[in-house]
mmCIF file of all heavy atoms in Angstrom:
data_model
loop_
_atom_site.group_PDB
_atom_site.id
_atom_site.type_symbol
_atom_site.label_atom_id
_atom_site.label_comp_id
_atom_site.label_asym_id
_atom_site.label_seq_id
_atom_site.Cartn_x
_atom_site.Cartn_y
_atom_site.Cartn_z
ATOM 1 N N VAL A 16 2.908 -7.585 -0.577
ATOM 2 C CA VAL A 16 2.367 -6.733 0.486
ATOM 3 C C VAL A 16 3.462 -6.411 1.491
ATOM 4 O O VAL A 16 3.587 -5.273 1.950
ATOM 5 C CB VAL A 16 1.158 -7.398 1.171
ATOM 6 C CG1 VAL A 16 0.660 -6.542 2.333
ATOM 7 C CG2 VAL A 16 0.041 -7.648 0.182
ATOM 8 N N GLU A 17 4.283 -7.391 1.825
ATOM 9 C CA GLU A 17 5.404 -7.158 2.744
ATOM 10 C C GLU A 17 6.348 -6.098 2.186
ATOM 11 O O GLU A 17 6.813 -5.219 2.914
ATOM 12 C CB GLU A 17 6.178 -8.460 3.001
ATOM 13 C CG GLU A 17 5.395 -9.516 3.741
ATOM 14 C CD GLU A 17 5.129 -9.143 5.191
ATOM 15 O OE1 GLU A 17 5.879 -8.336 5.773
ATOM 16 O OE2 GLU A 17 4.155 -9.675 5.756
ATOM 17 N N ARG A 18 6.641 -6.160 0.883
ATOM 18 C CA ARG A 18 7.512 -5.152 0.253
ATOM 19 C C ARG A 18 6.861 -3.776 0.301
ATOM 20 O O ARG A 18 7.534 -2.770 0.525
ATOM 21 C CB ARG A 18 7.847 -5.543 -1.179
ATOM 22 C CG ARG A 18 8.844 -6.692 -1.261
ATOM 23 C CD ARG A 18 9.380 -6.888 -2.662
ATOM 24 N NE ARG A 18 8.350 -7.233 -3.633
ATOM 25 C CZ ARG A 18 7.927 -8.455 -3.892
ATOM 26 N NH1 ARG A 18 8.466 -9.482 -3.250
ATOM 27 N NH2 ARG A 18 6.995 -8.676 -4.785
ATOM 28 N N ALA A 19 5.550 -3.724 0.097
ATOM 29 C CA ALA A 19 4.844 -2.441 0.163
ATOM 30 C C ALA A 19 4.882 -1.874 1.575
ATOM 31 O O ALA A 19 5.049 -0.664 1.764
ATOM 32 C CB ALA A 19 3.407 -2.604 -0.315
ATOM 33 N N MET A 20 4.738 -2.730 2.584
ATOM 34 C CA MET A 20 4.829 -2.262 3.971
ATOM 35 C C MET A 20 6.224 -1.709 4.259
ATOM 36 O O MET A 20 6.369 -0.682 4.930
ATOM 37 C CB MET A 20 4.490 -3.393 4.941
ATOM 38 C CG MET A 20 3.035 -3.751 4.960
ATOM 39 S SD MET A 20 2.747 -5.120 6.106
ATOM 40 C CE MET A 20 0.974 -5.084 6.219
ATOM 41 N N GLU A 21 7.242 -2.369 3.745
ATOM 42 C CA GLU A 21 8.612 -1.880 3.917
ATOM 43 C C GLU A 21 8.781 -0.526 3.227
ATOM 44 O O GLU A 21 9.384 0.394 3.776
ATOM 45 C CB GLU A 21 9.617 -2.896 3.369
ATOM 46 C CG GLU A 21 11.047 -2.436 3.439
ATOM 47 C CD GLU A 21 11.568 -2.202 4.854
ATOM 48 O OE1 GLU A 21 10.990 -2.759 5.818
ATOM 49 O OE2 GLU A 21 12.554 -1.466 5.003
ATOM 50 N N GLU A 22 8.237 -0.407 2.019
ATOM 51 C CA GLU A 22 8.315 0.864 1.300
ATOM 52 C C GLU A 22 7.597 1.962 2.089
ATOM 53 O O GLU A 22 8.086 3.087 2.189
ATOM 54 C CB GLU A 22 7.698 0.721 -0.092
ATOM 55 C CG GLU A 22 7.769 1.993 -0.905
ATOM 56 C CD GLU A 22 7.138 1.855 -2.274
ATOM 57 O OE1 GLU A 22 6.478 0.834 -2.566
ATOM 58 O OE2 GLU A 22 7.298 2.805 -3.064
ATOM 59 N N PHE A 23 6.457 1.648 2.668
ATOM 60 C CA PHE A 23 5.702 2.584 3.505
ATOM 61 C C PHE A 23 6.575 3.071 4.657
ATOM 62 O O PHE A 23 6.643 4.269 4.932
ATOM 63 C CB PHE A 23 4.450 1.875 4.027
ATOM 64 C CG PHE A 23 3.505 2.734 4.833
ATOM 65 C CD1 PHE A 23 2.330 3.188 4.273
ATOM 66 C CD2 PHE A 23 3.775 3.050 6.149
ATOM 67 C CE1 PHE A 23 1.427 3.958 5.014
ATOM 68 C CE2 PHE A 23 2.899 3.814 6.903
ATOM 69 C CZ PHE A 23 1.722 4.272 6.334
ATOM 70 N N ARG A 24 7.257 2.135 5.321
ATOM 71 C CA ARG A 24 8.116 2.502 6.456
ATOM 72 C C ARG A 24 9.292 3.365 6.016
ATOM 73 O O ARG A 24 9.652 4.323 6.689
ATOM 74 C CB ARG A 24 8.613 1.249 7.176
ATOM 75 C CG ARG A 24 7.523 0.525 7.945
ATOM 76 C CD ARG A 24 8.062 -0.589 8.821
ATOM 77 N NE ARG A 24 8.708 -1.652 8.070
ATOM 78 C CZ ARG A 24 8.120 -2.729 7.591
ATOM 79 N NH1 ARG A 24 6.813 -2.888 7.764
ATOM 80 N NH2 ARG A 24 8.795 -3.646 6.950
ATOM 81 N N VAL A 25 9.897 3.031 4.885
ATOM 82 C CA VAL A 25 11.066 3.777 4.390
ATOM 83 C C VAL A 25 10.670 5.181 3.926
ATOM 84 O O VAL A 25 11.319 6.169 4.283
ATOM 85 C CB VAL A 25 11.771 2.995 3.252
ATOM 86 C CG1 VAL A 25 12.811 3.852 2.562
ATOM 87 C CG2 VAL A 25 12.401 1.722 3.802
ATOM 88 N N LEU A 26 9.623 5.266 3.120
ATOM 89 C CA LEU A 26 9.205 6.562 2.576
ATOM 90 C C LEU A 26 8.494 7.434 3.599
ATOM 91 O O LEU A 26 8.554 8.654 3.527
ATOM 92 C CB LEU A 26 8.262 6.365 1.386
ATOM 93 C CG LEU A 26 8.817 5.729 0.129
ATOM 94 C CD1 LEU A 26 7.719 5.575 -0.913
ATOM 95 C CD2 LEU A 26 9.978 6.539 -0.422
ATOM 96 N N GLY A 27 7.800 6.792 4.519
ATOM 97 C CA GLY A 27 6.922 7.513 5.429
ATOM 98 C C GLY A 27 5.526 7.570 4.835
ATOM 99 O O GLY A 27 5.330 7.428 3.623
ATOM 100 N N ARG A 28 4.558 7.773 5.706
ATOM 101 C CA ARG A 28 3.155 7.719 5.294
ATOM 102 C C ARG A 28 2.824 8.709 4.187
ATOM 103 O O ARG A 28 2.250 8.347 3.159
ATOM 104 C CB ARG A 28 2.251 7.971 6.499
ATOM 105 C CG ARG A 28 0.786 7.906 6.152
ATOM 106 C CD ARG A 28 -0.085 8.192 7.365
ATOM 107 N NE ARG A 28 -1.480 7.933 7.020
ATOM 108 C CZ ARG A 28 -2.480 8.683 7.434
ATOM 109 N NH1 ARG A 28 -2.252 9.719 8.211
ATOM 110 N NH2 ARG A 28 -3.711 8.387 7.088
ATOM 111 N N ASP A 29 3.165 9.971 4.390
ATOM 112 C CA ASP A 29 2.770 11.003 3.423
ATOM 113 C C ASP A 29 3.346 10.743 2.036
ATOM 114 O O ASP A 29 2.630 10.832 1.035
ATOM 115 C CB ASP A 29 3.188 12.393 3.911
ATOM 116 C CG ASP A 29 2.411 12.833 5.147
ATOM 117 O OD1 ASP A 29 1.308 12.303 5.385
ATOM 118 O OD2 ASP A 29 2.920 13.715 5.866
ATOM 119 N N ALA A 30 4.622 10.426 1.962
ATOM 120 C CA ALA A 30 5.264 10.183 0.659
ATOM 121 C C ALA A 30 4.702 8.931 -0.007
ATOM 122 O O ALA A 30 4.512 8.898 -1.225
ATOM 123 C CB ALA A 30 6.780 10.070 0.828
ATOM 124 N N PHE A 31 4.439 7.879 0.773
ATOM 125 C CA PHE A 31 3.896 6.638 0.224
ATOM 126 C C PHE A 31 2.510 6.880 -0.370
ATOM 127 O O PHE A 31 2.220 6.463 -1.492
ATOM 128 C CB PHE A 31 3.836 5.572 1.320
ATOM 129 C CG PHE A 31 3.406 4.222 0.839
ATOM 130 C CD1 PHE A 31 4.308 3.368 0.229
ATOM 131 C CD2 PHE A 31 2.097 3.797 0.998
ATOM 132 C CE1 PHE A 31 3.905 2.111 -0.214
ATOM 133 C CE2 PHE A 31 1.693 2.545 0.564
ATOM 134 C CZ PHE A 31 2.606 1.701 -0.045
ATOM 135 N N ILE A 32 1.662 7.582 0.384
ATOM 136 C CA ILE A 32 0.308 7.874 -0.090
ATOM 137 C C ILE A 32 0.368 8.724 -1.357
ATOM 138 O O ILE A 32 -0.344 8.459 -2.327
ATOM 139 C CB ILE A 32 -0.498 8.587 1.016
ATOM 140 C CG1 ILE A 32 -0.788 7.615 2.152
ATOM 141 C CG2 ILE A 32 -1.798 9.168 0.475
ATOM 142 C CD1 ILE A 32 -1.340 8.278 3.392
ATOM 143 N N GLU A 33 1.221 9.734 -1.348
ATOM 144 C CA GLU A 33 1.343 10.610 -2.523
ATOM 145 C C GLU A 33 1.847 9.836 -3.736
ATOM 146 O O GLU A 33 1.348 10.026 -4.851
ATOM 147 C CB GLU A 33 2.296 11.756 -2.210
ATOM 148 C CG GLU A 33 2.408 12.751 -3.337
ATOM 149 C CD GLU A 33 3.295 13.921 -2.974
ATOM 150 O OE1 GLU A 33 3.359 14.295 -1.788
ATOM 151 O OE2 GLU A 33 3.933 14.451 -3.891
ATOM 152 N N LYS A 34 2.808 8.960 -3.537
ATOM 153 C CA LYS A 34 3.367 8.179 -4.645
ATOM 154 C C LYS A 34 2.284 7.403 -5.384
ATOM 155 O O LYS A 34 2.311 7.297 -6.613
ATOM 156 C CB LYS A 34 4.429 7.213 -4.124
ATOM 157 C CG LYS A 34 5.013 6.324 -5.203
ATOM 158 C CD LYS A 34 6.090 5.423 -4.666
ATOM 159 C CE LYS A 34 6.634 4.539 -5.781
ATOM 160 N NZ LYS A 34 7.734 3.688 -5.304
ATOM 161 N N TYR A 35 1.331 6.844 -4.652
ATOM 162 C CA TYR A 35 0.292 6.032 -5.268
ATOM 163 C C TYR A 35 -1.000 6.792 -5.540
ATOM 164 O O TYR A 35 -1.984 6.208 -5.973
ATOM 165 C CB TYR A 35 0.051 4.769 -4.439
ATOM 166 C CG TYR A 35 1.271 3.875 -4.507
ATOM 167 C CD1 TYR A 35 2.172 3.795 -3.456
ATOM 168 C CD2 TYR A 35 1.552 3.157 -5.666
ATOM 169 C CE1 TYR A 35 3.311 3.014 -3.548
ATOM 170 C CE2 TYR A 35 2.688 2.386 -5.761
ATOM 171 C CZ TYR A 35 3.558 2.314 -4.700
ATOM 172 O OH TYR A 35 4.694 1.542 -4.811
ATOM 173 N N GLY A 36 -0.985 8.108 -5.305
ATOM 174 C CA GLY A 36 -2.093 8.959 -5.712
ATOM 175 C C GLY A 36 -3.351 8.871 -4.879
ATOM 176 O O GLY A 36 -4.449 9.055 -5.404
#
Side-chain angles (χ1 to χ4, degrees):
V16 176
E17 294 291 336
R18 287 192 298 273
M20 288 179 168
E21 177 63 21
E22 181 181 9
F23 184 104
R24 289 189 297 270
V25 169
L26 294 178
R28 181 181 188 219
D29 292 338
F31 185 81
I32 291 169
E33 184 177 329
K34 177 178 179 177
Y35 293 103

